[in-house]
Structures are given as structure tokens and as C-alpha cells.
Amino acid sequence: MSSLVKNIIRFILFILLQVFILNEVPPLHRFIVPYIYFLYILWLPFTINRIALMLIAFAFGLSLDFFSGTTGLHAAPCVLIAYIRPFLLNLILPQETIEQSYSEPGSKSMGWAPYSLYVGLLTFIHHFYLVLIEWLTFGDFLYFLGKVLGTTAVSLLMIFLAELLFLRKGKYRTNAA
Amino acid sequence: MKNIFFFIRRYFTFLSFLLLQVVAIILLTRSSTTHEVFFSDATSELTGNLNKRYSNLRSYFSLGETNRQLAEENTRLKNLLASNNIAPDSSRINYTDTTVRDSSGRYRKFTWLPARVIGNTVTLQTNFLTLERGSNQGVKKGMAVVGPQGIVGVVVEISPNISKVMSLLHRNSRVSAMLKKDNNAGSIEWDGNDPSILILRNVSKSAKVVKGDTVVTSTYSANFPSNLMVGTVSSIVADPSSNFYTLKIKTATNFFTVQYVYLVENTRYTEQVQLENTPMTNQ
């Protein structure tokens, strides 16, 4: 399957998963909201142009917003992590080796330690910004702190499970592809 | 001039990042104040359509509960029928008058329309419901939404066939309510904490509140008919710095299972709101 088709299917699946399953989960606590949709942005291929990456992230966040009735709330953090992603990848990855042989970030292509650092940091940044926006419109400081930590922990747990469930084969990029 | 172009070219990624951020924030602020989103018509038709399919699927799981609620409401309404009250020693029969304007000068203030819930969230800080009924079927902005067990929210956005309701579980939702026994009014809000608990603020400390008291919609509300069930008092906090109680209210409506609701239109809504919002000229 070509990378384009695969990512379009993923786009739809992540939105549906977030809207119709995770947003329907009965709330356990006000700090704990299951978010996993932004994993889509973390899984996009290495080779995407940075501006295209941000545009995709914007469209992705916005289409989630249309379902939850909060236009722009999820789009802003998505664009932020799409902007930071290339910097972070440049820092973490040893140049010249991995980026050229694998097509997208993953535990196989980057190794467990760098990949968890990458996912952990971007998850934290995403939730920090998302809750910050929520906090500015209403709420108190304890809510802000608690929710950032709570949602980050839950998201990381779910991403870990997703990685275990769906072993993405670290596909080699050949000259033909 | 050349330097400007050079600057733009050099920081093009960063600038487009800023641009997208600004667009997102503008959309956010516009949508939370006026609820008039740019492409709201087209997108809410699309998301409404998907929500409808999903809720069709889900409604099978709660058919029993929905039936029970409807049956309960039917018995309640049947008990209110005028034909139940026949005077024993009289040959006259009471008819209920259903015309819009009757000859004794009374007018119809509220009309009720049924609607099906096809989308509902309870887990976010800003929760909305989607109803399968829009402006073509007589829905207007500001209409009150009432469920079989209690009030649900207010219509904030409409498209031809779908409408969007700001649930009581929304951080910006405000509904005027009062204690049933002594008519002390306050305002119903939500603190984003627990979807089955609302907050009733600004109830005077002179009110004699006890746990379990019934809270109903007040007579001051422009969109809600008065004396509709909101919930019951579950705990009482006296704010030491002010003269008011803050009451926690257990909602009458179960927001997790709401399936069918009624839209209530106040025929004099625009008139009342317009007058209330007119600035005072000679004070």
C-alpha cells in the first residue's frame, strides 16, 4: 500500500476512534481524558515537507474540532507539535543513517529509547498547550496542572498499548519506492 | 524591501506556523462567543449525518431504558389530562382548548416540539448535543431543550436539518433556577467536574435549604418555562466571604442516556430579550 493511501486511511480511523469511542468513554475523573488522536501526526513519514506537515496537522485538528463543537481547540496544539516535530527528530536521530533507510518514526526505526523520548515530549507539549487554552477560557490552576499530568499519563499508556498491539513493520525505504 | 523578502523567505516555516496558530485561536474565540462558525452549515450537516448513523446503532442498547422513560412520562401526562377531572354532579364536560389564541384573551406562550438526540458528549469541558431537527422543522436559536426527566440545555447553532445544543454540562452555560419550596432564585452552572452534579450559585443565605430539596427552572428565564425539574440539592456550601450559598445539584436528567428531548419555543422570546438588552436611556 502506498504511503499516501495508508495515511489517508489512518487519518479517518484516528478521527473516528477519538470521536466515537474515546470521547464516549464515561469520565473516570475530570483530570483523566483519553486522547490518542495526535499519534497520527507523530506517525507521519519523515520525508514530508515542514509546511505540508503543519497544514495536514491543522486540517486534522480542525476535523476533530468539528465533531466536538470546539473549533480551533485541537487544531492549535496539533499545529504546534507538527512545527516542533522536525526539530526534535533532528536532535534525537543520528544523522544520515536512520532517516534515509526508514519511512516513518517508530520503535523499530528509531529504537525504543529515542522513540519514547520523542513520543513523551510531544505528548506533553500537546497536552500542555491544549489544557493551557482551556484554562485561559475557564478554570483554576490546580485544574491546569492536574489535567496536564493526568491526560499525559493516560495518553502515554494508550500509545504504549497501541505500539504493542499494532506492530508496525519498520519499512525500509528502497530506491524503487 | 529586498531585506523584507529575504526575511520572509528565511522564516517562512515559522511565519506559516504563526499564521496557522492565529487562525486556530481566532476560530476558537469566535466559536465560543457567538457560535457562528465559518462553515458551520456544511460541516454540521456532515458531522450530524455521521452522528446519526452512530446513534442509530447505539440506540438499540438503550431501548429498554428509553421505553421506560417514555411510558413513565406518558402516565404522568395522562394524569394531567383535563378529562380525568370530571365534576361528579354536573352534566358539563371540560374541554381543553388547543387553539393558539382563545376568546378569553389568553395566548399560547410555549410550543413544544419533539426531537431525537443524535450526538452527545459528556466527557469534555464544553459539551454539546446534536438534535435531528433544524430550521426547516421550526427550530430557532435560543430555544430551551427539555428531556423527559428534566432540563437539558439551550439551542446555540442551527442548520436546515440539524441543530446543536449547548448542554447544561458546558462551562459557559447559565440557566436561571430556583428552589421549589420558597422560590429563591439563583443561577445554574457547571464546574466541569462531574457530569451528574451542577452548581447553583447566588442563592441567598436567608433561604432555608436542606439536602434533597427540589430545584426547578425559575420564572425569570426567557427561554425556559418555569417550574421544570432541574435536580435535587445534594450538598450545601456556605461561602463565608459572601451572602450566598453555593449548592451542588444532582441533575434530574441522566446526560449519559438522553435519547429524546423536547424543544420549547417561547413565542415572545425575541421581544423579551430585545427589551432586556436595550440600554437604559434616561437613568
Side-chain angles (χ1 to χ4, degrees):
Chain A
M1 207 183 328
S2 90
S3 159
L4 179 68
V5 177
K6 194 167 74 183
N7 277 299
I8 289 173
I9 293 173
R10 251 185 216 165
F11 187 111
I12 296 166
L13 284 183
F14 267 112
I15 294 279
L16 292 183
L17 172 75
Q18 183 67 42
V19 171
F20 289 129
I21 297 175
L22 295 181
N23 282 355
E24 302 282 334
V25 173
L28 302 166
H29 189 263
R30 64 166 166 164
F31 292 158
I32 298 175
V33 182
Y35 277 127
I36 201 175
Y37 70 101
F38 58 93
L39 190 58
Y40 172 74
I41 297 165
L42 308 192
W43 277 2
L44 284 172
F46 286 117
T47 45
I48 293 184
N49 171 5
R50 294 181 52 189
I51 296 191
L53 189 66
M54 282 193 288
L55 286 176
I56 293 171
F58 185 71
F60 184 70
L62 210 58
S63 41
L64 183 67
D65 283 328
F66 283 136
F67 280 98
S68 57
T70 50
T71 326
L73 181 65
H74 297 97
C78 281
V79 173
L80 180 71
I81 56 171
Y83 178 68
I84 295 178
R85 198 187 98 132
F87 290 115
L88 200 62
L89 282 177
N90 271 341
L91 277 179
I92 295 177
L93 293 180
Q95 291 298 311
E96 305 282 318
T97 53
I98 290 165
E99 205 172 324
Q100 293 185 347
S101 49
Y102 284 97
S103 63
E104 53 183 49
S107 54
K108 277 264 175 58
S109 63
M110 295 164 69
W112 270 106
Y115 181 63
S116 16
L117 181 67
Y118 164 76
V119 169
L121 264 178
L122 286 184
T123 307
F124 179 74
I125 292 169
H126 173 272
H127 290 321
F128 186 86
Y129 193 43
L130 180 72
V131 183
L132 182 74
I133 299 175
E134 269 189 359
W135 175 52
L136 292 180
T137 40
F138 42 69
D140 46 310
F141 191 65
L142 184 72
Y143 169 77
F144 173 65
L145 274 184
K147 194 167 176 186
V148 171
L149 296 179
T151 42
T152 309
V154 173
S155 290
L156 286 179
L157 182 70
M158 288 198 310
I159 293 174
F160 181 66
L161 289 179
E163 291 289 343
L164 290 185
L165 277 176
F166 306 102
L167 270 181
R168 289 174 299 139
K169 282 169 257 132
K171 201 171 62 181
Y172 269 110
R173 249 173 66 208
T174 52
N175 285 334
Chain B
M1 200 63 194
K2 196 176 127 199
N3 281 337
I4 294 178
F5 281 122
F6 184 68
F7 176 82
I8 291 178
R9 198 147 168 218
R10 195 171 152 181
Y11 293 103
F12 186 64
T13 339
F14 183 64
L15 289 175
S16 49
F17 164 68
L18 282 185
L19 182 77
L20 287 177
Q21 284 291 321
V22 169
V23 170
I25 299 294
I26 287 175
L27 281 175
L28 183 63
T29 49
R30 280 196 54 203
S31 75
S32 57
T33 52
T34 65
H35 292 281
E36 229 123 29
V37 197
F38 214 25
F39 359 59
S40 108
D41 256 26
T43 52
S44 63
E45 285 284 321
L46 177 73
T47 55
N49 218 333
L50 275 174
N51 276 328
K52 188 164 93 190
R53 281 152 193 267
Y54 184 64
S55 113
N56 269 338
L57 190 75
R58 274 189 21 149
S59 64
Y60 286 104
F61 298 108
S62 49
L63 272 183
E65 172 66 13
T66 312
N67 272 340
R68 192 188 60 74
Q69 280 178 13
L70 289 176
E72 224 168 55
E73 203 192 7
N74 269 339
T75 30
R76 194 170 61 76
L77 291 176
K78 275 185 183 150
N79 281 327
L80 294 178
L81 280 180
S83 57
N84 285 341
N85 309 321
I86 298 170
D89 270 351
S90 150
S91 55
R92 280 186 296 171
I93 303 170
N94 291 329
Y95 285 111
T96 11
D97 197 342
T98 54
T99 50
V100 174
R101 185 180 293 274
D102 75 2
S103 51
S104 60
R106 290 179 299 178
Y107 67 93
R108 173 177 277 273
K109 189 173 177 188
F110 295 107
T111 25
W112 295 61
L113 313 167
R116 186 159 165 234
V117 180
I118 55 171
N120 180 20
T121 59
V122 290
T123 54
L124 310 173
Q125 293 292 306
T126 51
N127 294 304
F128 292 91
L129 291 95
T130 320
L131 306 185
E132 195 181 9
R133 189 167 188 137
S135 55
N136 286 351
Q137 291 88 33
V139 181
K140 288 172 191 146
K141 272 190 194 176
M143 278 170 88
V145 179
V146 180
Q149 302 150 309
I151 64 167
V152 172
V154 173
V155 175
V156 288
E157 219 177 283
I158 45 176
S159 70
N161 296 306
I162 308 279
S163 56
K164 199 165 218 178
V165 175
M166 183 198 267
S167 152
L168 288 184
L169 310 179
H170 188 294
R171 295 293 286 251
N172 298 334
S173 147
R174 301 274 181 281
V175 173
S176 173
M178 66 186 184
L179 295 167
K180 193 181 182 186
K181 67 174 176 192
D182 55 4
N183 293 5
N184 261 300
S187 115
I188 287 280
E189 295 165 19
W190 187 54
D191 59 355
N193 202 335
D194 179 346
S196 58
I197 300 289
L198 297 166
I199 307 290
L200 179 60
R201 279 186 214 288
N202 297 345
V203 172
S204 150
K205 275 186 183 162
S206 65
K208 290 178 192 62
V209 199
V210 283
K211 239 185 216 181
D213 277 359
T214 306
V215 177
V216 293
T217 52
S218 83
T219 43
Y220 309 143
S221 174
N223 33 23
F224 281 98
S226 45
N227 289 311
L228 290 176
M229 185 71 178
V230 178
T232 50
V233 175
S234 73
S235 80
I236 304 164
V237 185
D239 183 359
S241 64
S242 80
N243 217 3
F244 298 112
Y245 282 126
T246 301
L247 308 177
K248 292 204 163 163
I249 311 294
K250 175 94 181 60
T251 57
T253 305
N254 183 353
F255 283 91
F256 295 93
T257 59
V258 61
Q259 294 271 319
Y260 285 92
V261 293
Y262 301 97
L263 291 147
V264 189
E265 183 188 8
N266 178 354
T267 44
R268 304 198 166 177
Y269 177 73
T270 17
E271 189 182 337
Q272 183 177 348
V273 170
Q274 221 166 39
L275 186 63
E276 280 173 354
N277 293 344
T278 318
M280 296 284 273
T281 46
N282 49 353
Q283 49 188 346

